[in-house]
Amino acid sequence: MTTSRDFIGVVPPAWSADDDAPLRCVQIRDETHDVKTFVFAAEGGRSFRYLPGQFVTLELQIDGQTVNRCYTLSSSPTRPDLAAITVKRVPGGQVSNWLHANLHVGDTLAAMGPAGTFSCFAQPAERYLFLSGGSGVTPLMSMTRALHDLASDVDVVFVHCARSPADVLFADELAAMARQMPRLRLALVCEQQPPHSPYAGHLGRLDAALLARIAPDFTARDVYTCGPAPFMTAVRGLLGTAGYDMARYREESFAFDAAPTDPAPTNEAAAGPESFRIKLQKLGDEFACRADQSILQAALAAGLRFPFSCSSGVCGTCKTKKVSGTVDMKHAGGIRQREVDQGWILPCCSRPGSDIVLER
């Protein structure tokens, strides 16, 4: 029998996806009528180490196909024995519906990560404004849980928007944390309120006037936003209109598409397009990539595990450091210019112009 004495002075090793160690589901919690939290433990008692706000990429077998999908860790690394994702069941959503219907306590699944740069712990500030829409609350919940556990006295205004009071996530826990964190202020915004509901928060949609009432000093805060694409578009618009310094704005995208398709070779010459070698420095793998392929397409065709989500240069999930070689990268905002200047690329939208060495 394991006792507390067995853990005294013991620092468990960190879980590493590179070791292909599966995660075991140990608990499933119903958060709302269409949202569940799945809690995982690592085999062998390993601990989880990550920045609050980072995500993992699940690798699932659905209908005979391997499907990758990214989910933010809603848990906090200050509680390292377990990790959790919180998943909204989306009508027609391949992965969310599969998880809700098929993942049970005791099941294992493969995962990669953690990864991502959306974390207030990566770029600390004195005052934050967290803006979440729907299940986009998860990375901001992870950050808030960590700040609470570390007894931080940072100034945070947390605004969570939902369709109705029944769709609000983590309301009780957020209220409990706010009672223990004097500088954490919460505001709920619901589009509609059922008759006789005890809900006493804001009604309607978040706009500039409402945001100014909730956080009059919002232009002086570092903003972190996550939610559906229309929600984030609206937030960017109202901040821009208010003259906010968008260099202090950060968002996380939940727009995930299917795996990238591999184009047929073009008929540039009888021998076909030129082919280059891609080497993964840390893993030691090598594979061929045609000049008309993205590096991600070639890696998946070679049977290698690469994290990705949008496959179009938007989300930044596949961001990788390039050690040597040249690429033609046509991204859609998923990487900053300073990161490009430092040698980072998005394999999903990068085609090789020479042999490539990646740090991965």
Side-chain angles (χ1 to χ4, degrees), residues 29-38 86-91 96-97 100 134-135 163-164 166-169:
R29 299 195 296 264
D30 289 322
E31 303 289 358
T32 69
H33 61 286
D34 60 354
V35 176
K36 292 180 182 290
T37 290
F38 300 91
T86 301
V87 181
K88 177 181 175 63
R89 188 166 196 161
V90 180
S96 65
N97 281 277
H100 274 242
S135 57
R163 283 195 301 265
S164 72
D167 296 297
V168 173
L169 289 167

Side-chain angles (χ1 to χ4, degrees), residues 44 46 72 86 91 99 107 120 138 156 165 177-178 189 195 261 273-274 329 339 342:
R46 296 177 180 273
T72 299
T86 301
L99 288 171
D107 291 346
C120 68
T138 53
V156 180
M177 289 192 292
V189 182
T261 56
E274 188 173 5
M329 179 170 61
E339 295 172 318
Q342 294 166 357

Side-chain angles (χ1 to χ4, degrees), residues 97-109:
N97 281 277
W98 187 93
L99 288 171
H100 274 242
N102 295 282
L103 187 62
H104 302 99
V105 171
D107 291 346
T108 61
L109 50 77

Side-chain angles (χ1 to χ4, degrees), residues 77-94:
T78 52
R79 310 172 200 183
D81 295 324
L82 300 171
I85 60 173
T86 301
V87 181
K88 177 181 175 63
R89 188 166 196 161
V90 180
Q94 181 187 28

Side-chain angles (χ1 to χ4, degrees), residues 23-336:
L23 301 182
R24 177 169 50 88
C25 182
V26 296
Q27 186 182 53
I28 300 175
R29 299 195 296 264
D30 289 322
E31 303 289 358
T32 69
H33 61 286
D34 60 354
V35 176
K36 292 180 182 290
T37 290
F38 300 91
V39 183
F40 300 96
E43 300 293 346
R46 296 177 180 273
S47 63
F48 296 97
R49 300 173 193 174
Y50 54 95
L51 287 176
Q54 288 190 303
F55 59 84
V56 292
T57 303
L58 304 184
E59 184 177 278
L60 308 170
Q61 300 299 319
I62 301 178
D63 297 330
Q65 293 184 332
T66 300
V67 179
N68 291 276
R69 192 68 85 250
C70 296
Y71 285 102
T72 299
L73 292 162
S74 54
S75 52
S76 168
T78 52
R79 310 172 200 183
D81 295 324
L82 300 171
I85 60 173
T86 301
V87 181
K88 177 181 175 63
R89 188 166 196 161
V90 180
Q94 181 187 28
V95 176
S96 65
N97 281 277
W98 187 93
L99 288 171
H100 274 242
N102 295 282
L103 187 62
H104 302 99
V105 171
D107 291 346
T108 61
L109 50 77
M112 292 176 282
T117 59
F118 185 73
S119 176
C120 68
F121 283 75
Q123 296 173 299
E126 294 183 359
R127 288 182 287 179
Y128 297 108
L129 173 60
F130 293 168
L131 300 173
S132 62
S135 57
V137 70
T138 53
L140 303 173
M141 189 65 183
S142 178
M143 296 181 206
T144 305
R145 282 170 166 161
L147 292 170
H148 168 267
D149 289 353
L150 295 171
S152 172
D153 65 348
V154 69
D155 185 338
V156 180
V157 176
F158 196 139
V159 182
H160 179 49
C161 304
R163 283 195 301 265
S164 72
D167 296 297
V168 173
L169 289 167
F170 308 122
D172 292 340
E173 184 179 354
L174 282 169
M177 289 192 292
R179 287 194 293 271
Q180 300 171 29
M181 297 175 64
R183 301 184 73 193
L184 170 63
R185 288 182 286 140
L186 304 176
L188 299 180
V189 182
C190 289
E191 294 180 20
Q192 55 191 5
Q193 179 178 10
H196 312 298
S197 168
Y199 173 72
H202 300 279
L203 282 175
R205 293 191 176 185
L206 185 67
D207 56 21
L210 178 55
L211 182 58
R213 291 199 299 274
I214 295 171
D217 63 343
F218 71 87
T219 58
R221 295 177 177 271
D222 279 34
V223 176
Y224 286 78
T225 304
C226 189
F231 173 80
M232 295 192 295
T233 298
V235 168
R236 288 194 300 271
L238 70 88
L239 291 177
T241 300
Y244 181 78
D245 178 7
M246 296 303 286
R248 301 169 61 194
Y249 173 82
R250 296 165 188 88
E251 68 177 36
E252 182 73 295
S253 173
F254 275 9
F256 302 144
D257 298 324
T261 56
D262 189 5
T266 60
N267 195 23
E268 296 176 357
E274 188 173 5
S275 182
F276 300 101
R277 299 299 300 174
I278 312 296
K279 181 178 180 179
L280 306 183
Q281 189 177 63
K282 291 181 179 179
L283 298 178
D285 294 305
E286 290 191 27
F287 56 94
C289 182
R290 300 192 312 268
D292 67 340
Q293 282 181 304
S294 73
I295 294 174
L296 175 61
Q297 289 165 342
L300 297 178
L304 298 177
R305 299 172 67 211
F306 249 70
F308 72 91
S309 290
C310 74
S311 73
S312 57
V314 174
C315 71
T317 299
C318 63
K319 192 180 302 176
T320 303
K321 189 72 171 288
K322 176 172 63 68
V323 178
S324 65
T326 61
V327 300
D328 177 21
M329 179 170 61
K330 293 181 171 60
H331 67 88
I335 189 170
R336 296 180 174 90

